[in-house]
Amino acid sequence: MHTPVTPWVLAGRIFAIIGMAFTAACAILFLVVPLWWWALGSALAFAPFFLLIVLVERYQSKHGLIGPEPAVPDDGDSD
């Protein structure tokens, strides 16, 4: 059974997703306006939030918080 997700993992995931959504929305808005340098800046600001979500997901899989259930060894008894 997986251990519960820690509050730090949950906060990191929420912060990363909100940051990615906000910076992507700003980049799209600035492209529509068109303010090219602001759009580029917003697109570049997307990268740290993306890297944060990558780090959070790697941390979770490394510590067994997500992923497949560990296999239970079969003792040979069959009913």
Side-chain angles (χ1 to χ4, degrees):
M1 171 152 269
H2 294 296
T3 59
V5 177
T6 64
W8 295 109
V9 168
L10 185 62
R13 190 184 273 176
I14 290 171
F15 182 68
I17 291 172
I18 289 173
M20 286 191 304
F22 180 72
T23 55
C26 287
I28 292 168
L29 175 69
F30 290 138
L31 286 173
V32 170
V33 170
L35 295 171
W36 305 113
W37 290 109
W38 284 96
L40 179 63
S42 295
L44 291 175
F46 181 87
F49 296 107
F50 181 75
L51 292 175
L52 178 63
I53 198 71
V54 168
L55 291 175
V56 167
E57 296 299 324
R58 284 187 181 173
Y59 173 83
Q60 288 186 105
S61 65
K62 182 180 178 184
H63 293 287
L65 300 174
I66 61 172
E69 292 285 337
V72 178
D74 188 18
D75 60 357
D77 286 339
S78 60
D79 292 337

